[in-house]
Coordinates of all heavy atoms in Angstrom, one line a residue:
M1 N 7.4 -0.8 -15.9 CA 7.0 0.0 -14.7 C 6.4 -0.9 -13.6 O 6.7 -1.0 -12.4 CB 6.3 1.2 -15.0 CG 6.2 2.2 -13.8 SD 4.9 1.6 -12.7 CE 3.5 1.8 -13.6
R2 N 5.4 -1.6 -14.2 CA 4.6 -2.7 -13.3 C 5.6 -3.6 -12.7 O 5.4 -4.0 -11.5 CB 3.5 -3.3 -14.2 CG 2.4 -4.1 -13.4 CD 1.5 -3.3 -12.5 NE 0.9 -2.1 -12.9 CZ -0.3 -2.0 -13.6 NH1 -0.9 -3.1 -13.9 NH2 -0.8 -0.9 -14.0
E3 N 6.6 -4.0 -13.5 CA 7.5 -5.0 -13.1 C 8.4 -4.6 -12.0 O 8.7 -5.2 -11.0 CB 8.4 -5.6 -14.3 CG 9.2 -6.8 -13.9 CD 8.5 -7.9 -13.2 OE1 7.4 -8.3 -13.6 OE2 9.0 -8.4 -12.2
A4 N 8.9 -3.3 -12.2 CA 9.6 -2.6 -11.2 C 8.9 -2.4 -9.9 O 9.5 -2.6 -8.7 CB 10.0 -1.2 -11.6
L5 N 7.6 -2.2 -10.0 CA 6.8 -2.1 -8.7 C 6.8 -3.4 -8.0 O 6.9 -3.5 -6.8 CB 5.4 -1.6 -9.1 CG 4.4 -1.3 -8.1 CD1 5.0 -0.2 -7.2 CD2 3.0 -0.8 -8.7
R6 N 6.5 -4.5 -8.8 CA 6.5 -5.8 -8.2 C 7.8 -6.2 -7.5 O 7.8 -6.7 -6.4 CB 6.2 -6.9 -9.2 CG 4.7 -7.1 -9.5 CD 4.5 -8.5 -10.2 NE 4.9 -8.4 -11.7 CZ 4.0 -8.1 -12.6 NH1 2.8 -7.9 -12.3 NH2 4.4 -7.9 -13.8
R7 N 8.9 -5.8 -8.1 CA 10.2 -6.1 -7.7 C 10.4 -5.4 -6.3 O 10.9 -6.0 -5.3 CB 11.3 -5.7 -8.7 CG 12.5 -6.6 -8.6 CD 13.6 -6.1 -9.6 NE 13.0 -6.1 -11.0 CZ 13.1 -5.1 -11.8 NH1 13.6 -4.0 -11.4 NH2 12.6 -5.1 -13.0
A8 N 10.0 -4.1 -6.3 CA 10.2 -3.3 -5.0 C 9.3 -4.0 -3.9 O 9.8 -4.1 -2.7 CB 9.8 -1.9 -5.2
L9 N 8.2 -4.4 -4.2 CA 7.4 -5.1 -3.2 C 7.8 -6.4 -2.7 O 7.4 -6.8 -1.6 CB 5.9 -5.1 -3.8 CG 5.2 -3.8 -3.9 CD1 4.0 -3.9 -4.8 CD2 4.7 -3.2 -2.6
R10 N 8.4 -7.1 -3.7 CA 8.8 -8.5 -3.3 C 10.0 -8.4 -2.3 O 10.4 -9.3 -1.5 CB 9.2 -9.4 -4.4 CG 8.1 -9.8 -5.2 CD 8.5 -11.0 -6.2 NE 7.5 -11.3 -7.0 CZ 7.5 -10.9 -8.3 NH1 8.5 -10.1 -8.9 NH2 6.4 -11.2 -9.2
A11 N 10.8 -7.2 -2.4 CA 12.0 -7.0 -1.6 C 11.7 -6.8 -0.1 O 12.6 -7.0 0.7 CB 12.8 -5.9 -2.2
G12 N 10.5 -6.5 0.2 CA 10.0 -6.3 1.5 C 9.0 -5.1 1.8 O 8.6 -4.6 0.7
G13 N 8.6 -4.7 2.9 CA 7.7 -3.7 3.2 C 8.0 -2.3 2.6 O 9.3 -2.0 2.7
A14 N 7.1 -1.7 2.0 CA 7.3 -0.4 1.5 C 6.2 0.5 1.6 O 5.0 0.0 1.3 CB 7.8 -0.4 0.0
T15 N 6.3 1.7 1.8 CA 5.2 2.7 1.9 C 5.0 3.3 0.5 O 5.9 3.2 -0.4 CB 5.5 3.8 2.9 OG1 6.6 4.6 2.4 CG2 5.7 3.3 4.3
A16 N 4.0 4.0 0.3 CA 3.7 4.7 -1.0 C 4.9 5.7 -1.3 O 5.4 5.7 -2.5 CB 2.4 5.5 -1.0
K17 N 5.5 6.3 -0.3 CA 6.6 7.1 -0.6 C 7.8 6.4 -1.0 O 8.5 6.8 -1.8 CB 6.8 8.0 0.9 CG 7.8 9.1 0.7 CD 7.8 9.8 2.0 CE 8.7 11.1 1.9 NZ 8.7 11.8 3.1
D18 N 8.1 5.3 -0.3 CA 9.2 4.4 -0.7 C 9.1 4.1 -2.2 O 10.0 4.0 -3.0 CB 9.2 3.1 0.1 CG 9.4 3.4 1.6 OD1 10.0 4.5 1.9 OD2 9.1 2.5 2.4
L19 N 7.8 3.5 -2.5 CA 7.6 3.0 -3.8 C 7.7 4.0 -4.9 O 8.1 3.9 -6.0 CB 6.3 2.3 -4.0 CG 6.0 1.1 -3.1 CD1 4.5 0.6 -3.0 CD2 6.9 -0.1 -3.7
S20 N 7.2 5.4 -4.5 CA 7.4 6.5 -5.5 C 8.8 6.7 -5.8 O 9.1 7.0 -6.9 CB 6.7 7.7 -4.7 OG 7.1 8.9 -5.4
A21 N 9.6 6.7 -4.7 CA 11.1 7.0 -4.9 C 11.7 5.8 -5.7 O 12.6 6.0 -6.6 CB 11.7 7.2 -3.6
E22 N 11.4 4.6 -5.5 CA 12.1 3.4 -6.1 C 11.7 3.3 -7.5 O 12.4 3.0 -8.4 CB 11.8 2.2 -5.3 CG 12.7 2.0 -4.1 CD 12.4 0.6 -3.3 OE1 12.5 -0.3 -4.0 OE2 12.2 0.7 -2.1
V23 N 10.3 3.4 -7.8 CA 9.8 3.1 -9.1 C 9.6 4.3 -10.0 O 9.6 4.1 -11.2 CB 8.5 2.4 -8.9 CG1 7.9 1.8 -10.3 CG2 8.6 1.2 -8.0
G24 N 9.6 5.5 -9.4 CA 9.5 6.7 -10.1 C 8.1 7.0 -10.5 O 7.9 7.5 -11.7
I25 N 7.1 6.7 -9.8 CA 5.7 7.0 -10.0 C 5.3 8.1 -8.9 O 5.9 8.1 -7.8 CB 4.8 5.9 -10.0 CG1 4.9 5.0 -8.8 CG2 5.0 5.1 -11.3 CD1 4.1 3.8 -8.8
R26 N 4.4 8.8 -9.2 CA 4.0 9.9 -8.2 C 3.3 9.2 -7.0 O 2.6 8.3 -7.1 CB 2.9 10.9 -8.8 CG 3.6 11.8 -9.7 CD 2.6 12.8 -10.3 NE 1.5 12.0 -10.9 CZ 0.5 12.6 -11.6 NH1 0.4 13.9 -11.6 NH2 -0.3 12.0 -12.2
E27 N 3.6 9.7 -5.7 CA 3.2 9.1 -4.5 C 1.7 9.0 -4.5 O 1.2 8.0 -4.2 CB 3.7 10.0 -3.4 CG 3.4 9.2 -2.0 CD 4.0 10.0 -0.8 OE1 4.9 10.9 -1.0 OE2 3.6 9.8 0.3
R28 N 1.0 10.0 -5.0 CA -0.5 9.9 -5.0 C -1.0 8.9 -6.1 O -2.2 8.6 -6.0 CB -1.1 11.3 -5.2 CG -0.8 12.0 -6.4 CD -1.3 13.4 -6.4 NE -0.8 14.2 -7.6 CZ -1.6 14.5 -8.6 NH1 -2.8 14.1 -8.6 NH2 -1.2 15.2 -9.6
D29 N -0.2 8.4 -7.0 CA -0.7 7.5 -7.9 C -0.4 6.0 -7.5 O -0.9 5.0 -8.2 CB 0.0 7.7 -9.3 CG -0.5 9.1 -9.9 OD1 -1.6 9.5 -9.6 OD2 0.2 9.5 -10.8
V30 N 0.4 5.9 -6.5 CA 0.8 4.5 -6.0 C -0.4 3.7 -5.7 O -0.5 2.5 -6.1 CB 1.7 4.7 -4.8 CG1 2.0 3.2 -4.2 CG2 3.2 5.2 -5.2
A31 N -1.4 4.2 -4.9 CA -2.5 3.3 -4.5 C -3.2 2.7 -5.8 O -3.6 1.5 -5.8 CB -3.5 4.2 -3.7
E32 N -3.4 3.7 -6.7 CA -4.1 3.1 -8.0 C -3.3 1.9 -8.7 O -3.8 1.0 -9.2 CB -4.4 4.3 -8.9 CG -5.3 4.0 -10.1 CD -5.4 5.2 -11.0 OE1 -5.3 6.4 -10.5 OE2 -5.6 4.9 -12.3
H33 N -2.1 2.2 -8.8 CA -1.2 1.2 -9.4 C -1.2 -0.2 -8.6 O -1.3 -1.2 -9.2 CB 0.3 1.6 -9.5 CG 0.5 2.6 -10.5 ND1 0.4 2.4 -11.9 CD2 1.0 3.9 -10.4 CE1 0.8 3.4 -12.6 NE2 1.1 4.4 -11.7
L34 N -1.3 0.0 -7.2 CA -1.3 -1.2 -6.4 C -2.7 -2.0 -6.6 O -2.7 -3.2 -6.6 CB -1.2 -0.8 -4.9 CG 0.2 -0.4 -4.5 CD1 0.3 0.1 -3.1 CD2 1.3 -1.5 -4.8
E35 N -3.8 -1.1 -6.8 CA -5.0 -1.7 -6.9 C -5.1 -2.7 -8.2 O -5.6 -3.7 -8.3 CB -6.2 -0.8 -6.9 CG -6.5 -0.4 -5.5 CD -7.2 1.0 -5.3 OE1 -7.7 1.4 -6.3 OE2 -7.1 1.6 -4.2
H36 N -4.5 -2.1 -9.3 CA -4.4 -2.8 -10.6 C -3.5 -4.2 -10.3 O -3.9 -5.1 -10.8 CB -3.8 -2.1 -11.7 CG -4.8 -1.0 -12.2 ND1 -6.0 -1.3 -12.9 CD2 -4.8 0.3 -12.1 CE1 -6.6 -0.2 -13.2 NE2 -6.0 0.8 -12.7
L37 N -2.4 -3.9 -9.7 CA -1.3 -4.9 -9.5 C -2.0 -6.1 -8.7 O -1.9 -7.3 -9.1 CB -0.2 -4.4 -8.7 CG 0.9 -5.3 -8.5 CD1 1.6 -5.7 -9.8 CD2 2.0 -4.6 -7.7
Q38 N -2.8 -5.8 -7.7 CA -3.5 -6.7 -6.8 C -4.3 -7.7 -7.6 O -4.3 -8.9 -7.3 CB -4.4 -5.9 -5.8 CG -4.7 -6.5 -4.5 CD -5.4 -5.6 -3.6 OE1 -6.0 -4.6 -4.0 NE2 -5.3 -5.9 -2.3
R39 N -4.9 -7.3 -8.6 CA -5.7 -8.1 -9.4 C -5.0 -9.0 -10.2 O -5.4 -10.2 -10.4 CB -6.7 -7.3 -10.4 CG -7.8 -6.7 -9.7 CD -8.6 -5.8 -10.5 NE -8.9 -4.5 -9.9 CZ -8.9 -3.4 -10.4 NH1 -8.6 -3.2 -11.8 NH2 -9.2 -2.2 -9.7
S40 N -3.8 -8.7 -10.7 CA -3.0 -9.6 -11.5 C -2.2 -10.6 -10.7 O -1.7 -11.6 -11.1 CB -2.1 -8.8 -12.4 OG -1.1 -8.2 -11.7
L41 N -2.0 -10.3 -9.4 CA -1.1 -11.2 -8.6 C -1.7 -12.6 -8.4 O -1.0 -13.5 -8.3 CB -0.9 -10.6 -7.3 CG 0.1 -9.4 -7.2 CD1 0.1 -8.8 -5.8 CD2 1.5 -9.8 -7.7
A42 N -3.0 -12.6 -8.2 CA -3.7 -13.9 -7.9 C -3.2 -15.0 -9.0 O -3.0 -16.1 -8.7 CB -5.1 -13.8 -7.8
H43 N -3.1 -14.6 -10.2 CA -2.7 -15.6 -11.3 C -1.4 -16.1 -11.1 O -1.0 -17.2 -11.6 CB -2.9 -14.8 -12.6 CG -4.1 -14.2 -13.0 ND1 -5.3 -15.0 -13.2 CD2 -4.5 -12.9 -13.1 CE1 -6.3 -14.1 -13.4 NE2 -5.8 -12.9 -13.4
R44 N -0.5 -15.4 -10.4 CA 0.8 -15.8 -10.2 C 0.9 -16.5 -8.8 O 2.1 -16.9 -8.4 CB 1.9 -14.7 -10.1 CG 1.7 -14.0 -11.5 CD 2.5 -12.5 -11.2 NE 2.8 -11.9 -12.5 CZ 4.1 -11.6 -13.0 NH1 5.1 -12.1 -12.2 NH2 4.2 -11.2 -14.1
G45 N -0.1 -16.7 -8.1 CA 0.0 -17.3 -6.7 C 0.6 -16.4 -5.8 O 1.3 -16.8 -4.8
E46 N 0.4 -15.1 -5.9 CA 1.0 -14.2 -4.9 C -0.1 -13.3 -4.5 O -1.2 -13.1 -5.1 CB 2.1 -13.3 -5.6 CG 3.3 -14.0 -6.2 CD 4.2 -13.2 -6.8 OE1 3.9 -12.3 -7.6 OE2 5.4 -13.3 -6.5
R47 N 0.0 -12.6 -3.5 CA -0.9 -11.6 -2.9 C -0.2 -10.4 -2.3 O 0.9 -10.4 -1.8 CB -1.9 -12.2 -2.0 CG -1.4 -12.6 -0.7 CD -2.3 -13.5 0.1 NE -1.7 -14.1 1.2 CZ -1.7 -13.5 2.4 NH1 -2.3 -12.4 2.7 NH2 -1.1 -14.0 3.4
L48 N -0.9 -9.3 -2.3 CA -0.5 -8.0 -1.8 C -0.9 -8.1 -0.3 O -2.0 -8.2 0.0 CB -1.1 -6.9 -2.5 CG -0.6 -5.4 -2.0 CD1 0.8 -5.2 -2.5 CD2 -1.6 -4.4 -2.6
V49 N 0.1 -7.8 0.5 CA -0.1 -7.9 1.9 C -0.1 -6.3 2.4 O 0.9 -5.7 2.0 CB 0.9 -8.6 2.8 CG1 0.8 -8.3 4.3 CG2 0.9 -10.0 2.4
V50 N -1.0 -5.9 3.1 CA -1.1 -4.5 3.6 C -1.1 -4.4 5.0 O -1.9 -4.9 5.8 CB -2.4 -3.7 3.2 CG1 -2.4 -2.3 3.6 CG2 -2.5 -3.9 1.6
E51 N 0.0 -3.8 5.7 CA 0.1 -3.6 7.1 C -0.6 -2.2 7.2 O -0.3 -1.3 6.7 CB 1.6 -3.4 7.4 CG 1.9 -3.1 8.9 CD 1.5 -4.0 9.9 OE1 1.4 -5.3 9.6 OE2 1.1 -3.7 10.9
P52 N -1.7 -2.3 7.9 CA -2.7 -1.1 7.9 C -2.0 0.2 8.5 O -1.1 0.1 9.3 CB -3.8 -1.5 8.9 CG -3.6 -3.0 9.2 CD -2.2 -3.3 8.8
A53 N -2.5 1.3 8.0 CA -2.1 2.5 8.5 C -2.5 2.6 10.0 O -3.4 1.9 10.4 CB -2.7 3.7 7.7
A54 N -1.8 3.5 10.8 CA -2.2 3.7 12.2 C -2.1 5.1 12.6 O -1.3 5.9 12.1 CB -1.3 2.8 13.0
C55 N -2.9 5.5 13.5 CA -2.8 6.9 14.0 C -1.8 7.0 15.0 O -1.7 6.2 16.0 CB -4.2 7.2 14.7 SG -4.2 8.9 15.4
L56 N -0.9 8.0 14.9 CA 0.3 8.2 15.7 C -0.2 8.8 17.1 O 0.4 8.7 18.0 CB 1.3 9.1 15.1 CG 2.0 8.4 13.9 CD1 2.9 9.4 13.2 CD2 2.9 7.2 14.4
A57 N -1.4 9.5 17.0 CA -1.9 10.1 18.3 C -2.5 9.2 19.3 O -2.2 9.1 20.4 CB -2.8 11.2 17.9
C58 N -3.5 8.3 18.7 CA -4.3 7.5 19.6 C -4.1 6.1 19.4 O -4.6 5.1 20.1 CB -5.8 7.9 19.6 SG -6.5 7.2 18.1
G59 N -3.4 5.6 18.4 CA -3.1 4.2 18.1 C -4.1 3.5 17.3 O -4.1 2.3 17.0
H60 N -5.2 4.2 16.8 CA -6.2 3.6 16.0 C -5.6 2.9 14.8 O -4.8 3.7 14.1 CB -7.3 4.6 15.6 CG -8.2 4.2 14.7 ND1 -9.3 3.3 15.0 CD2 -8.4 4.4 13.3 CE1 -10.0 3.1 13.9 NE2 -9.4 3.7 12.8
R61 N -5.9 1.7 14.5 CA -5.5 1.1 13.2 C -6.6 1.0 12.2 O -7.7 0.7 12.6 CB -5.0 -0.4 13.7 CG -3.6 -0.3 14.3 CD -3.4 -1.7 14.9 NE -3.2 -2.7 13.9 CZ -2.0 -3.0 13.3 NH1 -0.9 -2.3 13.3 NH2 -2.1 -4.1 12.4
F62 N -6.2 1.3 11.0 CA -7.2 1.3 10.0 C -7.3 0.0 9.3 O -7.0 -0.2 8.1 CB -6.7 2.4 8.8 CG -6.7 3.8 9.4 CD1 -5.8 4.3 10.1 CD2 -7.8 4.6 8.9 CE1 -5.8 5.6 10.7 CE2 -7.8 6.0 9.4 CZ -6.9 6.4 10.2
E63 N -7.8 -1.0 10.1 CA -8.0 -2.4 9.7 C -9.1 -2.5 8.7 O -10.1 -1.7 8.8 CB -8.3 -3.2 10.9 CG -7.2 -3.2 12.0 CD -6.1 -4.1 11.8 OE1 -6.1 -4.8 10.7 OE2 -5.4 -4.3 12.8
G64 N -9.0 -3.4 7.7 CA -10.2 -3.7 6.9 C -10.5 -2.5 5.9 O -11.6 -2.5 5.4
R65 N -9.6 -1.7 5.7 CA -9.8 -0.7 4.8 C -9.6 -1.3 3.3 O -8.5 -1.8 3.1 CB -8.8 0.4 5.0 CG -9.1 1.8 4.5 CD -8.3 2.9 5.3 NE -8.5 4.2 4.8 CZ -8.0 4.6 3.7 NH1 -7.0 4.0 3.1 NH2 -8.2 5.9 3.3
T66 N -10.5 -1.0 2.5 CA -10.4 -1.5 1.1 C -9.4 -0.5 0.2 O -8.8 -1.0 -0.6 CB -11.6 -1.7 0.4 OG1 -12.4 -0.5 0.4 CG2 -12.5 -2.9 1.2
R67 N -9.5 0.7 0.5 CA -8.7 1.6 -0.4 C -7.2 1.5 0.1 O -7.0 1.4 1.4 CB -9.2 3.1 -0.3 CG -10.6 3.2 -1.0 CD -11.0 4.6 -1.1 NE -10.1 5.5 -1.7 CZ -9.9 6.7 -1.4 NH1 -10.4 7.2 -0.2 NH2 -8.9 7.4 -1.9
L68 N -6.4 1.7 -0.8 CA -4.9 1.5 -0.4 C -4.2 2.9 -0.2 O -3.0 2.9 0.1 CB -4.2 0.7 -1.6 CG -4.7 -0.7 -1.8 CD1 -4.1 -1.3 -3.0 CD2 -4.6 -1.6 -0.6
S69 N -4.9 3.9 -0.4 CA -4.3 5.2 -0.2 C -4.1 5.5 1.3 O -4.7 4.8 2.2 CB -5.2 6.3 -0.8 OG -6.5 6.3 -0.3
R70 N -3.2 6.5 1.6 CA -3.1 6.9 2.9 C -4.2 7.7 3.5 O -4.6 8.6 2.9 CB -1.8 7.7 2.9 CG -1.2 8.2 4.3 CD 0.0 8.9 4.0 NE 0.6 9.6 5.3 CZ 0.2 10.7 5.8 NH1 -0.8 11.4 5.2 NH2 0.7 11.1 6.9
P71 N -4.8 7.3 4.7 CA -5.9 8.0 5.2 C -5.6 9.5 5.6 O -4.5 9.8 6.0 CB -6.4 7.2 6.4 CG -5.5 5.9 6.4 CD -4.4 6.1 5.6
G72 N -6.5 10.3 5.4 CA -6.3 11.7 5.6 C -6.3 12.1 7.1 O -5.4 12.9 7.6
A73 N -7.2 11.5 7.8 CA -7.4 11.9 9.2 C -8.0 10.6 10.1 O -8.6 9.8 9.5 CB -8.3 13.0 9.5
C74 N -7.8 10.6 11.4 CA -8.1 9.5 12.2 C -9.7 9.7 12.5 O -10.0 10.8 13.0 CB -7.3 9.6 13.6 SG -7.9 8.3 14.7
P75 N -10.5 8.7 12.4 CA -11.9 8.8 12.7 C -12.1 8.9 14.2 O -13.2 9.4 14.6 CB -12.5 7.6 12.1 CG -11.4 6.6 12.1 CD -10.2 7.4 11.9
E76 N -11.2 8.5 14.9 CA -11.4 8.5 16.5 C -11.0 9.9 17.0 O -11.7 10.4 17.9 CB -10.4 7.5 17.2 CG -10.6 5.9 16.7 CD -11.9 5.3 17.3 OE1 -12.4 5.8 18.2 OE2 -12.6 4.6 16.5
C77 N -9.8 10.3 16.7 CA -9.4 11.6 17.4 C -9.2 12.8 16.4 O -8.7 13.7 16.9 CB -8.0 11.3 18.2 SG -6.7 11.1 17.2
R78 N -9.4 12.5 15.1 CA -9.2 13.6 14.1 C -7.8 14.0 13.9 O -7.6 15.0 13.1 CB -10.1 14.8 14.5 CG -11.5 14.5 14.7 CD -12.2 14.5 13.3 NE -13.4 13.8 13.3 CZ -14.0 13.1 12.3 NH1 -13.3 13.0 11.2 NH2 -15.1 12.4 12.5
S79 N -6.9 13.3 14.4 CA -5.5 13.6 14.1 C -5.1 13.3 12.7 O -5.7 12.4 12.1 CB -4.5 12.9 15.1 OG -3.2 13.0 14.7
T80 N -4.2 14.2 12.1 CA -3.8 13.9 10.8 C -2.4 13.3 10.8 O -1.7 13.2 9.7 CB -3.8 15.2 9.9 OG1 -3.0 16.2 10.6 CG2 -5.2 15.7 9.7
R81 N -1.8 13.0 12.0 CA -0.5 12.3 12.0 C -0.8 10.8 11.9 O -1.0 10.1 12.9 CB 0.1 12.7 13.4 CG 0.6 14.0 13.5 CD 1.0 14.5 14.9 NE 1.9 13.6 15.5 CZ 1.8 13.0 16.7 NH1 0.7 13.3 17.5 NH2 2.7 12.3 17.2
I82 N -0.7 10.4 10.6 CA -1.1 9.0 10.3 C 0.3 8.3 9.9 O 1.0 8.8 9.0 CB -2.1 8.8 9.2 CG1 -3.3 9.7 9.5 CG2 -2.4 7.4 9.0 CD1 -4.1 9.3 10.7
D83 N 0.5 7.1 10.4 CA 1.6 6.3 10.0 C 1.2 5.5 8.7 O 0.1 4.9 8.8 CB 2.0 5.3 11.1 CG 3.3 4.6 10.9 OD1 4.2 5.1 10.2 OD2 3.4 3.6 11.5
P84 N 1.7 5.7 7.6 CA 1.1 5.2 6.4 C 1.1 3.7 6.3 O 1.8 3.1 7.0 CB 2.0 5.9 5.3 CG 3.2 6.0 5.9 CD 2.9 6.4 7.4
P85 N 0.2 3.1 5.4 CA 0.3 1.6 5.3 C 1.6 1.3 4.6 O 2.1 1.9 3.8 CB -1.0 1.3 4.4 CG -1.3 2.7 3.6 CD -0.8 3.8 4.7
V86 N 1.9 -0.1 5.0 CA 3.2 -0.6 4.4 C 2.8 -1.8 3.6 O 2.0 -2.7 4.0 CB 4.1 -1.0 5.5 CG1 5.3 -1.7 5.0 CG2 4.5 0.1 6.4
F87 N 3.3 -1.8 2.3 CA 2.8 -2.9 1.3 C 4.0 -3.9 1.1 O 5.2 -3.4 1.0 CB 2.5 -2.2 0.0 CG 1.4 -1.2 0.2 CD1 1.8 0.2 0.1 CD2 0.1 -1.5 0.4 CE1 0.8 1.2 0.3 CE2 -0.9 -0.5 0.6 CZ -0.4 0.9 0.5
S88 N 3.6 -5.1 0.8 CA 4.6 -6.1 0.4 C 3.9 -7.2 -0.4 O 2.7 -7.3 -0.4 CB 5.4 -6.7 1.5 OG 4.6 -7.4 2.4
I89 N 4.6 -8.0 -1.2 CA 4.1 -9.1 -2.0 C 4.6 -10.4 -1.4 O 5.8 -10.5 -1.1 CB 4.5 -9.0 -3.4 CG1 3.7 -7.9 -4.1 CG2 4.1 -10.3 -4.3 CD1 4.1 -7.8 -5.5
V90 N 3.7 -11.2 -1.1 CA 4.1 -12.5 -0.6 C 3.6 -13.7 -1.6 O 2.5 -13.6 -2.2 CB 3.7 -12.9 0.9 CG1 4.4 -11.9 1.8 CG2 2.1 -12.9 0.9
G91 N 4.3 -14.7 -1.7 CA 3.9 -15.9 -2.5 C 3.1 -16.8 -1.6 O 3.2 -16.8 -0.4
E92 N 2.2 -17.6 -2.3 CA 1.3 -18.5 -1.6 C 1.8 -20.0 -1.6 O 1.0 -20.9 -1.5 CB -0.1 -18.5 -2.2 CG -0.7 -17.1 -2.4 CD -1.6 -16.8 -1.3 OE1 -1.6 -17.5 -0.2 OE2 -2.5 -15.9 -1.5
R93 N 3.2 -20.2 -1.8 CA 3.6 -21.5 -1.9 C 3.2 -22.5 -0.8 O 3.4 -22.1 0.3 CB 5.1 -21.5 -2.1 CG 5.5 -21.4 -3.5 CD 7.0 -20.9 -3.7 NE 6.9 -19.4 -3.4 CZ 7.6 -18.6 -4.2 NH1 8.4 -19.0 -5.2 NH2 7.6 -17.2 -4.0
Ligands
LIG1 ZN1 -6.4 8.9 16.4

C-alpha cells in the first residue's frame, strides 16, 4: 500500500481525494499516511512537495502549514470553499 502511494505521488500532483481513489485508502486517512511517508522519503533522496491549499473565495494560501490535511475553513474570510493541497514526490538528484 505504501508503495502504491509512492507510485501515485511520483506520477504527478494528486489531492487526498485522488490518492484515496488510486490507492484505496480513506480520504481522511491520506494525511496520516503522507506524514509517515514523508519521514521515510529522505533516506531515498526524495521529498514530498506540497502545493498549499487555497481559499476559493479570497485567494488566501495556506502556506507553511505543517499538517497535511485539508483545512476546514479560511482564517481570513471564513469560507469553507477550499481548494485542497496537491501532493507529489520529487527526487533530489
Ligand atoms: Zn478566504
Side-chain angles (χ1 to χ4, degrees):
M1 193 279 296
R2 194 61 53 87
E3 189 49 50
L5 189 58
R6 269 197 288 267
R7 209 177 309 124
L9 287 161
R10 285 197 192 101
T15 62
K17 194 173 182 176
D18 298 333
L19 294 169
S20 167
E22 277 182 51
V23 183
I25 51 184
R26 285 180 303 181
E27 191 175 342
R28 63 190 172 96
D29 292 339
V30 168
E32 196 185 324
H33 285 295
L34 290 177
E35 278 158 26
H36 287 291
L37 184 64
Q38 206 168 22
R39 282 175 227 139
S40 67
L41 284 176
H43 303 294
R44 299 165 166 249
E46 294 179 316
R47 66 192 171 90
L48 183 70
V49 174
V50 183
E51 176 65 30
C55 174
L56 291 170
C58 76
H60 173 76
R61 282 166 64 85
F62 293 77
E63 304 273 5
R65 201 163 176 275
T66 51
R67 291 184 58 216
L68 298 174
S69 55
R70 184 175 175 279
C74 176
E76 301 287 333
C77 73
R78 302 281 159 210
S79 171
T80 53
R81 290 166 53 226
I82 308 291
D83 195 19
V86 177
F87 307 102
S88 57
I89 286 177
V90 296
E92 309 261 18
R93 269 159 284 220

